[in-house]
Amino acid sequence: MDKPKLFTVGPTYVNDDVRAEMRNQMFSHRSSDYVELHRELIEKLRKFLQTENDIFLYTSSSTGCMESAVRNCISEQGTALSTICGAFGKRFSEIVTGNGRKVVTSEVLWGKANRAEQLDEALSKNPGIEAVTITHCETSTGLLNPLEELCKVAKEHDVLILADTVSSMSGTRIEVDKLGIDFCFSGVQKCFTVPPGLAIATVSKKALKKAETVKNRGHYFDFLNLKKYNDKHMIPYTPPMPQMFGLSKQLDLIFEEGIENRFERHRKVSARVRNGCKDMGFSVFPDEKYAAPTLSCISVPKGFDIKEMQNKMNERGFILASGYGKIKDTTFRVGNMGNVTMDDVCEMLENLEEVI
Amino acid sequence: MDKPKLFTVGPTYVNDDVRAEMRNQMFSHRSSDYVELHRELIEKLRKFLQTENDIFLYTSSSTGCMESAVRNCISEQGTALSTICGAFGKRFSEIVTGNGRKVVTSEVLWGKANRAEQLDEALSKNPGIEAVTITHCETSTGLLNPLEELCKVAKEHDVLILADTVSSMSGTRIEVDKLGIDFCFSGVQKCFTVPPGLAIATVSKKALKKAETVKNRGHYFDFLNLKKYNDKHMIPYTPPMPQMFGLSKQLDLIFEEGIENRFERHRKVSARVRNGCKDMGFSVFPDEKYAAPTLSCISVPKGFDIKEMQNKMNERGFILASGYGKIKDTTFRVGNMGNVTMDDVCEMLENLEEVI
């Protein structure tokens, strides 16, 4: 396969140069070679994310970062407020309660965005909230929440901001420091287009200070232990070195393309997907004003056989993603995270039109 | 580099065929292709480990498995007994307390083995212990604890057995079911010789039953969630697919060599290392009766410059591991995990003799 025909929502299609890097031979994760790899990678990530915060590497998926956020940023008897507009916002709230913390939710219908007014109201009604969980891009509905306005309200209420940017980081601008995001995380298998197995997070001084007061943070996801090793350009346990090699190479390719060009490409390509689908008689599931630039969630007309369409597309080498959770049977999704170009989606849309 | 000259204690030298597999293109971790990859890999692991227990895959290092063991097998107010004979046994006990559980330790001097009598005494003196943590191979001292006799005692006291087999699994026989080990885990970057980023664990029915009674198990390392997905040949979050490709290939190579041949090779090669080092005037750090078959911890004479020796060996392309923790300045370590052959260590020993 020469061209990316994977329109899934992660793991995304990884280009040859990055996969070639994954083949590198191993060395000790306590050696000076490793320190150099770690240091360089963090430097590139810092340049890319434009943050002064610490950047942690996790040997885990992004879900591990959620657990880390909860165990370090919410006291054992504390409460978080979870904004929810789909399956992944819901998951974040469940990880709060799964770790014995209390949660208040601020929910909207699937397809709608979480908005500042509602968050403001929820925070005003519930004094003592320690942190807010926000899903930047809700992958189940293809919606990008208005992060800037949500962060503004959270800052006014002086609560920690824990932002799931799993399917948006590297596909759209996220101004971590300007917005004051205390914990901002993603996995490398989404817009970074590196094979899965490595997650990254930015951690503010305020979040680290909070962790110092939280008991029972565990060991594996403990901020203070991660910080101690990160300051030495290491992680406390064995890192997923192949993914680190891959991400380092991928960041070089991203800088080559230009960060802004990359964001612009995602925006244009996703708009093309939505318009193409609408032209064929489909509709866009989420409120289009908030449609995500990294994936599209497309509703089908009543009686349309999604499975059959997917199978026919598969035969032609195009892999589209299924719907997720409670809208599984009425939607499909088209990812354009990472390396997907305008030509790729045009070719895919032509084939989709022939197939249906 | 054509031949393995990496005598570290993990990550270990990965052979070309396995690294080539790591280059495979991605696909969705919710697709039938993934289900097939997962199912086949578990089948091979089951054949290799000869256990009827569930086998979980973790997107984490082995340390994550320790956290998983603690959060699922010890009640929130419960107590574990940690057998300790070095740094990694100590780490396991710290993960118990780091997760808010209580711990009683049964400690011996570094270099000595944990023995059945002492464990029996500790368990008799401390009624109500829910689980025992055992370090099979203590990587800091190069010592292999007598797992069979320790498990026998633990079974008599009817406590769960949580066994760290990180640096022994696939380098020596571990009869999970016969010994009644409830949770037995390792990372793939040690004797399996796959790049780091994937950990595996066998989980007994008894351990799963216990987890049902334990509150606040969290989400990421929750046995019941892992079990739910594992039954569908998936993991609950995104798996480290490159390492899965690699491990699947590596297991084929292990079956080709023959499991028993592999164990025998480790035993013989490590004995050669110890004898070679003794011939040069070094001594073996641990009680030799319990010397590990997968790595050797070697004491140097007073005044011997370990750093200089390592540097000179590095110049010749041989990487030896440093000592660990409190014996860092008086020992070095020679790993022979995975693919290291008799020829490899003979060549290394010849060079070591010239260097010192």
Side-chain angles (χ1 to χ4, degrees):
Chain A
M1 205 154 54
D2 287 339
K3 293 211 280 173
K5 294 190 171 180
L6 210 56
F7 297 89
T8 52
V9 294
T12 47
Y13 188 95
V14 182
N15 82 33
D16 292 343
D17 288 355
V18 172
R19 286 189 289 120
E21 284 297 309
M22 311 272 301
R23 273 189 72 162
N24 284 351
Q25 187 51 271
M26 293 299 107
F27 40 80
S28 165
H29 60 298
R30 299 296 178 229
S31 67
S32 56
D33 284 343
Y34 177 81
V35 164
E36 192 52 23
L37 167 70
H38 189 113
R39 202 190 53 69
E40 259 191 37
L41 181 56
I42 298 292
E43 213 166 78
K44 288 180 192 177
L45 282 169
R46 188 177 302 292
K47 180 178 162 193
F48 178 73
L49 297 169
Q50 296 176 358
T51 178
E52 295 299 314
N53 287 347
D54 281 301
I55 300 173
F56 290 167
L57 303 178
Y58 287 87
T59 308
S60 77
S61 77
S62 313
T63 310
C65 294
M66 289 186 177
E67 185 124 336
S68 190
V70 168
R71 293 196 83 180
N72 287 277
C73 298
I74 311 166
S75 317
E76 272 192 288
Q77 307 300 328
T79 307
L81 189 140
S82 286
T83 57
I84 300 175
C85 67
F88 291 93
K90 180 100 181 131
R91 179 187 287 187
F92 210 161
S93 77
E94 286 166 356
I95 291 176
V96 174
T97 53
N99 282 287
R101 277 68 170 171
K102 288 183 282 291
V103 79
V104 172
T105 60
S106 172
E107 238 169 306
V108 293
L109 286 177
W110 283 41
K112 299 286 173 204
N114 291 116
R115 299 298 309 275
E117 305 76 50
Q118 199 179 348
L119 176 60
D120 189 31
E121 206 187 307
L123 285 169
S124 302
K125 264 205 275 188
N126 295 282
I129 296 284
E130 298 181 10
V132 169
T133 70
I134 298 173
T135 313
H136 187 205
C137 181
E138 175 53 65
T139 317
S140 62
T141 63
L143 182 138
L144 194 78
N145 275 306
L147 192 57
E148 190 165 349
E149 65 174 65
L150 293 172
C151 287
K152 193 165 167 280
V153 169
K155 298 299 280 179
E156 284 165 10
H157 287 269
D158 196 27
V159 296
L160 289 174
I161 301 171
L162 314 177
D164 166 354
T165 62
V166 171
S167 57
S168 58
M169 189 186 280
S170 148
T172 192
R173 170 165 292 284
I174 301 166
E175 297 180 286
V176 173
D177 290 4
K178 192 181 149 200
L179 302 188
I181 304 173
D182 294 291
F183 189 75
C184 185
F185 63 93
S186 183
V188 297
Q189 80 282 5
K190 300 280 187 181
C191 300
F192 282 116
T193 54
V194 172
L198 171 65
I200 59 177
T202 69
V203 189
S204 74
K205 285 200 171 54
K206 204 172 152 190
L208 286 167
K209 230 179 150 69
K210 172 74 182 185
E212 285 174 17
T213 72
V214 176
K215 278 180 199 158
N216 188 1
R217 298 183 305 276
H219 181 94
Y220 197 74
F221 293 125
D222 176 15
F223 278 6
L224 304 189
N225 202 28
L226 283 156
K227 163 81 174 154
K228 187 177 123 191
Y229 277 82
N230 201 45
D231 284 349
K232 299 186 283 186
H233 314 294
M234 292 184 186
I235 73 170
Y237 29 76
T238 318
M241 289 163 64
Q243 282 82 350
M244 291 175 68
F245 296 137
L247 179 58
S248 188
K249 179 68 186 176
Q250 178 64 47
L251 284 163
D252 292 341
L253 299 176
I254 289 174
F255 294 136
E256 236 170 69
E257 179 181 13
I259 299 177
E260 289 305 326
N261 296 340
R262 184 176 181 83
F263 296 157
E264 180 73 359
R265 174 167 58 77
H266 277 83
R267 203 185 55 70
K268 283 187 177 161
V269 166
S270 64
R272 180 74 190 83
V273 170
R274 290 194 302 277
N275 290 330
C277 286
K278 282 194 290 186
D279 289 347
M280 286 178 232
F282 298 117
S283 60
V284 174
F285 177 78
D287 181 350
E288 249 197 281
K289 203 182 149 198
Y290 297 100
T294 52
L295 82 152
S296 301
C297 181
I298 305 295
S299 293
V300 301
K302 221 173 171 165
F304 182 88
D305 191 335
I306 298 174
K307 205 81 225 146
E308 194 194 335
M309 175 275 286
Q310 281 180 307
N311 288 342
K312 283 185 183 164
M313 286 298 277
N314 286 3
E315 281 166 21
R316 293 170 178 233
F318 299 93
I319 317 292
L320 306 184
S322 298
Y324 194 95
K326 63 183 180 190
I327 54 172
K328 198 177 166 61
D329 295 330
T330 55
T331 61
F332 65 93
R333 293 175 300 165
V334 181
N336 64 291
M337 299 177 193
N339 298 328
V340 176
T341 65
M342 189 61 90
D343 285 349
D344 296 328
V345 294
C346 288
E347 189 196 357
M348 183 278 290
L349 287 168
E350 274 166 33
N351 278 273
L352 182 58
E353 191 156 22
E354 288 170 19
V355 150
I356 61 173
Chain B
M1 205 151 54
D2 287 339
K3 293 212 280 173
K5 294 190 172 180
L6 210 57
F7 297 89
T8 52
V9 294
T12 46
Y13 188 96
V14 182
N15 82 31
D16 291 343
D17 287 354
V18 171
R19 287 190 288 118
E21 284 297 308
M22 311 271 302
R23 271 190 73 163
N24 284 351
Q25 186 52 270
M26 291 301 107
F27 40 79
S28 166
H29 60 297
R30 298 295 178 230
S31 66
S32 56
D33 284 342
Y34 176 80
V35 164
E36 192 51 23
L37 167 70
H38 188 112
R39 202 190 52 70
E40 259 190 37
L41 181 55
I42 298 292
E43 214 166 78
K44 288 181 193 176
L45 282 169
R46 187 177 304 289
K47 180 178 162 193
F48 178 72
L49 296 169
Q50 296 174 0
T51 177
E52 295 299 314
N53 286 347
D54 280 301
I55 300 173
F56 290 167
L57 303 178
Y58 287 88
T59 308
S60 78
S61 77
S62 314
T63 310
C65 293
M66 290 186 177
E67 185 124 336
S68 191
V70 168
R71 292 196 82 181
N72 287 278
C73 297
I74 311 166
S75 317
E76 273 191 288
Q77 307 301 328
T79 307
L81 190 140
S82 286
T83 56
I84 300 175
C85 68
F88 290 93
K90 180 101 181 129
R91 180 187 285 187
F92 210 162
S93 76
E94 286 166 356
I95 292 176
V96 174
T97 53
N99 282 287
R101 275 70 169 171
K102 289 184 280 292
V103 80
V104 172
T105 60
S106 172
E107 241 169 303
V108 293
L109 285 177
W110 283 40
K112 299 284 172 208
N114 291 116
R115 299 299 308 274
E117 305 77 49
Q118 200 180 347
L119 176 60
D120 189 32
E121 203 186 309
L123 284 170
S124 302
K125 262 206 275 188
N126 295 281
I129 296 284
E130 297 182 10
V132 169
T133 71
I134 298 173
T135 314
H136 187 204
C137 181
E138 174 53 65
T139 318
S140 63
T141 63
L143 182 138
L144 194 78
N145 275 306
L147 192 57
E148 191 165 348
E149 64 174 64
L150 294 171
C151 288
K152 193 164 168 279
V153 169
K155 299 298 282 179
E156 283 164 12
H157 287 269
D158 196 28
V159 296
L160 289 173
I161 301 171
L162 314 177
D164 167 353
T165 61
V166 171
S167 57
S168 58
M169 189 185 282
S170 144
T172 192
R173 171 164 293 282
I174 301 166
E175 297 179 287
V176 173
D177 290 3
K178 192 181 149 199
L179 302 188
I181 304 174
D182 294 292
F183 190 74
C184 185
F185 63 93
S186 182
V188 297
Q189 80 282 5
K190 300 280 186 182
C191 300
F192 281 117
T193 53
V194 172
L198 170 66
I200 60 177
T202 69
V203 189
S204 74
K205 285 199 171 54
K206 204 171 154 192
L208 286 168
K209 231 179 150 71
K210 172 74 182 185
E212 285 174 16
T213 71
V214 175
K215 279 181 197 158
N216 190 1
R217 298 183 305 275
H219 180 93
Y220 198 73
F221 293 125
D222 176 15
F223 278 5
L224 304 189
N225 202 27
L226 284 156
K227 163 81 175 155
K228 187 177 124 190
Y229 277 82
N230 201 45
D231 284 348
K232 299 185 283 186
H233 315 292
M234 292 184 187
I235 73 169
Y237 28 76
T238 317
M241 289 162 62
Q243 283 82 350
M244 291 175 68
F245 296 135
L247 179 58
S248 187
K249 178 70 186 173
Q250 178 64 50
L251 283 164
D252 292 341
L253 298 176
I254 289 174
F255 294 136
E256 236 170 72
E257 179 181 10
I259 299 177
E260 289 304 326
N261 296 341
R262 185 176 180 82
F263 296 156
E264 180 72 0
R265 174 167 60 76
H266 277 83
R267 204 185 55 70
K268 283 187 177 161
V269 166
S270 64
R272 180 74 190 85
V273 171
R274 290 194 303 277
N275 290 331
C277 286
K278 283 194 290 187
D279 289 346
M280 285 178 232
F282 298 116
S283 60
V284 174
F285 177 77
D287 181 350
E288 250 197 282
K289 202 182 147 199
Y290 297 100
T294 53
L295 81 151
S296 302
C297 182
I298 305 295
S299 294
V300 301
K302 221 173 172 169
F304 182 89
D305 191 335
I306 298 173
K307 204 82 224 142
E308 195 194 336
M309 175 275 286
Q310 281 180 306
N311 288 341
K312 283 186 184 162
M313 287 297 278
N314 286 2
E315 281 165 23
R316 293 169 178 234
F318 298 93
I319 317 293
L320 306 185
S322 297
Y324 195 95
K326 64 183 178 189
I327 55 172
K328 198 178 166 65
D329 295 331
T330 54
T331 61
F332 65 92
R333 293 175 300 165
V334 181
N336 63 292
M337 300 177 193
N339 298 327
V340 176
T341 66
M342 189 61 89
D343 286 349
D344 296 329
V345 294
C346 288
E347 189 195 357
M348 183 278 290
L349 287 168
E350 274 166 33
N351 278 272
L352 182 58
E353 190 155 23
E354 287 169 21
V355 150
I356 61 173

